Amino acid sequence: MRTILDMAAAPEGHGRMQAPGLDVFRSFDWLRLAPAGPAPARDFRLPIEPPARAELPDGSALCAEILQKQESTEDGDSGYNVKVGCLQWNRVTAPLAVRNWRPGDRYRPVGFSSETKIKTLFQDARVPLWERRLWPVLTSGEEIVWVRRFGPAAEYAASPGE
């Protein structure tokens, strides 16, 4: 019990310990108590061809659909990438697949001038370690075109003028 309290009181850092029947994780300002047991398989890859819904190993789902270009609203918002993170369909050339994030993955999200490691995005957004394991990315061939929470890759992003 003392170790758990010490983990909770630490000003920063990551940590993990096991107690009988319990896994305790520390990541950023989060402390997670979970039943002990095997971790779910890390690697997954699921082909997805819109319109489709892919059930992910963590119980969430990724929905892919083809939308027609929307007209801009009075405030100039077309809905593209502000609300749903759309891809420009004619730029996607290879079959799509959803897979988990893997160490070393990098891409250039909308608004970035160069590629960045997804791990760096996780750190900047303070995404806890246990959430990263099955974090979905959408690929076209081997190229990352979209990442949950961080949106489409700049070179594949839909824009109101297209």
Side-chain angles (χ1 to χ4, degrees):
M1 183 67 163
R2 183 76 221 152
T3 305
I4 296 172
L5 293 174
D6 290 344
M7 285 175 67
E12 60 185 44
H14 300 286
R16 179 179 182 190
M17 66 154 292
Q18 294 183 315
L22 192 64
D23 266 334
V24 182
F25 298 88
R26 161 77 191 253
S27 184
F28 298 110
D29 297 333
W30 298 91
L31 191 65
R32 178 178 182 234
L33 306 172
R42 179 186 177 111
D43 292 331
F44 70 89
R45 182 179 176 82
L46 307 166
I48 186 167
E49 186 172 332
R53 176 184 169 96
E55 300 293 329
L56 305 178
D58 68 355
S60 66
L62 179 86
C63 297
E65 55 186 311
I66 298 175
L67 302 173
Q68 295 298 316
K69 179 183 169 196
Q70 299 174 356
E71 296 300 321
S72 294
T73 60
E74 292 177 13
D75 63 1
D77 177 17
S78 68
Y80 284 116
N81 297 322
V82 175
K83 297 176 183 155
V84 292
C86 294
L87 301 173
Q88 185 65 36
W89 185 246
N90 63 357
R91 294 183 191 158
V92 178
T93 58
L96 293 174
V98 61
R99 66 165 173 82
N100 61 293
W101 163 79
R102 297 177 184 152
D105 277 350
R106 35 184 333 122
Y107 87 125
R108 184 170 70 97
V110 171
F112 283 63
S113 60
S114 62
E115 278 192 345
T116 189
K117 287 184 177 182
I118 295 174
K119 179 180 179 179
T120 302
L121 296 171
F122 287 152
Q123 292 168 336
D124 292 347
R126 301 181 67 80
V127 174
L129 294 172
W130 56 84
E131 288 187 14
R132 300 176 191 185
R133 181 179 197 92
L134 299 174
W135 198 271
V137 301
L138 187 67
T139 61
S140 174
E142 293 303 314
E143 193 163 359
I144 295 172
V145 297
W146 175 90
V147 179
R148 181 202 299 166
R149 187 171 179 182
F150 306 115
E155 52 274 20
Y156 292 96
S159 63
E162 296 180 279

